[in-house]
Amino acid sequence: VSESLAANKFTKEGWKFKSWNTKADGTGNAYFDKSTIRLAKDITLYAQWEYNQVTVTFYPNGGSGEMAPQKVTKKENTPLSANTFTRVDYDFTGWNTKSDGTGTVYENQSVIKTSQGLSLYAQWHHREAIITFDNNGGEGSMSAQTVRINTPTALSANAFTKENHVIIGWNTKSDGTGTAYSDKAEISTADNQTLYAQWQPSKTVTFNANGGSGEMDPQIVPADTATVLKANAFVNGDKVFSGWNTVAAGTGTAYDDKAQITTSNDVTLYAQWADAIIITESTTELSTGRYTIAGNVTIGSRVTVSGDVVIVLPDDFTLTASKGISVNDGYSLRIETSGTGTSTLKATGSEGNAAIGGNSGNASGAITITGGDVTADSSGGGAGIGGGANGKAGSINISGGSINATSSDGGAGIGGGSGCTAGTVIISGGTITAISYGAFGIGRGAGSSGTSDIRIDDSLSVVINIFSPVTPASSYNDAGEVPSSHAVRVSP
């Protein structure tokens, strides 16, 4: 007689009933649940099962902690396990099937329905603080700035004004007795902040071409406060700019280009001009004086500095020293620009000689760079800028320009050559990349003892090994080397 089988009432955790079979291993005759059956003898039917669970795996994605994988039944609504991951300074915002948040989104403990396993990545939102700007007696308005907490972030540039005053920075208290920040300085805070503009009476510095040509707008500076002068933009034929003076004839107070000025009164500065010696392709020695180029110049021999020398690089021209520039002990080399500073110096050292600085086994004189696009590449253990291999490095002072200094075989990018301790290295401006293979990006050469005196202005940022996080520049004040193969970048 044909009859329907009784409905299955068996269960197996994590498994789904599939069918019946006359053999336990499923190789006999199969029957569906409640199917019609007609028998001539007794039989035993064995339940057949299929696995009915998938695994959801949780990843902290930058957070910390542990979460066990979750087993969920296929195609059944199942709440996700509550998140237990944490991340300092971040709020958990949910899950995503892709770590970068571009996949499918799931909220915390949301109900899911899936037929396959899932990998879920925690999604985080960096907590934020609001910086509010107060003009503190000035005029104008500034939008509040949202910053990530405990993350160094440059402040918005000041947009306030105050008649006959200049802003000298911000302070967390209106009377200036709180924490001070310079304009556009980096701030790192865990809480909302109100910053009050700090004002100081202003004075005007007027620039006079004094026989030259070109235009320079007056510079408004705070009274009685050291301020860096604008770069000279005047030109005067074949003459080179040699600085400023409060008297046209040069008998007053003198200032170098981009020097600091402190004044209680309005002042007019007169450009000072000097006859320059023209560098040509046959120039191999520079004695005391000011030098310039009248076009693109390539020198095939190593150039020796045997005096106190200033090289003024004019706009749009390139000076190439194919064998580099030696600065003899006891003398100095200063590299400046005229005009807008769109000029280039390329120097190459080899056989242990620095690209710019000392020869192998010898001491180097002082080097100052105030501007220009300067590339210095050395091999054989000489520094890019600084000492030669097994020599002695002189002082290096960089206050401007775009500097790329590279050394191989144990020389520093900027500082000492292989077996050579660096002298004082002072960096107060410019954008600098210093690369070394086997020594320090900035500092002493490989194989030398002692430390170097390295001072990097706090207003600059230092990046080590190209991709590492920004480190406060003050970490390298006073003494020590700035590591190491391969790169150090210093920028405003």
Side-chain angles (χ1 to χ4, degrees):
V1 177
S2 296
E3 293 194 28
S4 296
L5 291 171
N8 168 61
K9 294 183 179 180
F10 296 138
T11 60
K12 184 178 180 181
E13 186 176 359
W15 296 77
K16 179 182 179 182
F17 176 78
K18 181 180 180 182
S19 63
W20 302 100
N21 202 283
T22 55
K23 290 187 177 182
D25 63 0
T27 60
N29 295 325
Y31 298 94
F32 293 114
D33 193 29
K34 295 186 290 184
S35 64
T36 300
I37 189 169
R38 185 175 180 175
L39 299 176
K41 61 179 181 179
D42 295 341
I43 62 172
T44 298
L45 295 182
Y46 297 89
Q48 303 296 299
W49 304 96
E50 63 178 355
Y51 192 65
N52 197 39
Q53 285 190 327
V54 293
T55 301
V56 179
T57 306
F58 302 95
Y59 295 94
N61 197 23
S64 59
E66 294 184 1
M67 284 187 66
Q70 181 181 0
K71 299 290 186 180
V72 300
T73 301
K74 288 182 180 179
K75 297 183 179 179
E76 286 191 10
N77 291 332
T78 307
L80 289 171
S81 299
N83 169 59
T84 60
F85 295 136
T86 59
R87 188 175 180 183
V88 176
D89 294 337
Y90 286 78
D91 292 318
F92 175 76
T93 61
W95 304 99
N96 200 285
T97 54
K98 292 187 177 181
S99 60
D100 62 1
T102 59
T104 304
V105 176
Y106 296 95
E107 295 180 359
N108 191 27
Q109 295 181 280
S110 64
V111 175
I112 67 167
K113 187 176 184 179
T114 182
S115 61
Q116 59 186 9
L118 285 176
S119 293
L120 296 182
Y121 298 87
Q123 301 297 297
W124 305 99
H125 174 71
H126 204 302
R127 296 177 191 142
E128 295 175 332
I130 305 298
I131 307 297
T132 304
F133 300 95
D134 189 299
N135 63 25
N136 199 20
E139 298 177 345
S141 61
M142 286 184 67
S143 299
Q145 182 179 359
T146 301
V147 299
R148 293 179 172 183
I149 67 170
N150 297 323
T151 302
T153 306
L155 291 170
S156 300
N158 169 60
F160 298 137
T161 59
K162 186 175 182 180
E163 188 175 2
N164 298 324
H165 286 74
V166 62
I167 192 166
I168 58 173
W170 305 97
N171 202 285
T172 54
K173 293 187 177 180
S174 59
D175 62 1
T177 59
T179 303
Y181 299 94
S182 59
D183 191 29
K184 296 185 286 186
E186 283 191 345
I187 187 172
S188 181
T189 180
D191 302 299
N192 296 337
Q193 296 272 7
T194 296
L195 297 182
Y196 298 88
Q198 301 297 296
W199 302 102
Q200 190 156 323
S202 62
K203 299 301 175 184
T204 300
V205 178
T206 303
F207 301 95
N208 187 300
N210 196 23
S213 60
E215 294 184 359
M216 287 186 67
D217 292 330
Q219 181 176 356
I220 307 301
V221 301
D224 302 314
T225 302
T227 307
V228 176
L229 290 169
K230 293 195 296 188
N232 168 59
F234 297 134
V235 294
N236 191 358
D238 291 335
K239 293 181 181 294
V240 294
F241 176 77
S242 60
W244 303 101
N245 202 285
T246 54
V247 177
T251 58
T253 303
Y255 297 93
D256 289 333
D257 192 29
K258 294 183 285 187
Q260 288 189 339
I261 187 172
T262 303
T263 181
S264 302
N265 304 293
D266 294 339
V267 63
T268 297
L269 296 181
Y270 297 88
Q272 302 297 296
W273 304 101
D275 292 328
I277 303 169
I278 304 300
I279 298 174
T280 67
E281 294 179 357
S282 61
T283 301
T284 59
E285 185 170 355
L286 305 176
S287 56
T288 298
R290 298 179 69 83
Y291 293 79
T292 190
I293 52 177
N296 295 327
V297 175
T298 298
I299 303 173
S301 302
R302 189 162 177 84
V303 178
T304 300
V305 172
S306 58
D308 294 324
V309 170
V310 178
I311 296 178
V312 181
L313 301 171
D315 282 354
D316 304 322
F317 291 152
T318 298
L319 172 60
T320 302
S322 301
K323 301 293 185 180
I325 301 174
S326 297
V327 183
N328 286 350
D329 187 25
Y331 298 109
S332 66
L333 171 64
R334 181 182 178 92
I335 299 169
E336 300 178 353
T337 60
S338 62
T340 60
T342 56
S343 52
T344 302
L345 171 62
K346 297 179 179 180
T348 304
S350 61
E351 299 176 355
N353 298 325
I356 302 175
N359 287 334
S360 177
N362 295 318
S364 170
I367 300 169
T368 299
I369 301 175
T370 66
D373 186 349
V374 179
T375 300
D377 296 327
S378 182
S379 61
I385 299 174
N390 302 310
K392 180 181 178 181
S395 63
I396 300 169
N397 191 320
I398 300 174
S399 60
S402 177
I403 317 299
N404 288 274
T406 304
S407 177
S408 61
D409 304 321
I414 297 175
S418 176
C420 171
T421 299
T424 300
V425 179
I426 299 175
I427 299 174
S428 57
T431 301
I432 299 158
T433 300
I435 302 175
S436 170
Y437 297 93
F440 292 95
I442 301 175
R444 58 189 169 91
S448 61
S449 60
T451 58
S452 307
D453 188 3
I454 299 171
R455 306 171 191 173
I456 300 177
D457 192 278
D458 287 338
S459 65
L460 304 175
S461 64
V462 177
V463 180
I464 302 172
N465 294 337
I466 301 180
F467 300 113
S468 69
V470 172
T471 305
S474 57
S475 299
Y476 303 105
N477 282 358
D478 301 328
E481 283 75 31
V482 184
S484 170
S485 311
H486 294 299
V488 175
R489 288 185 178 174
V490 179
S491 59

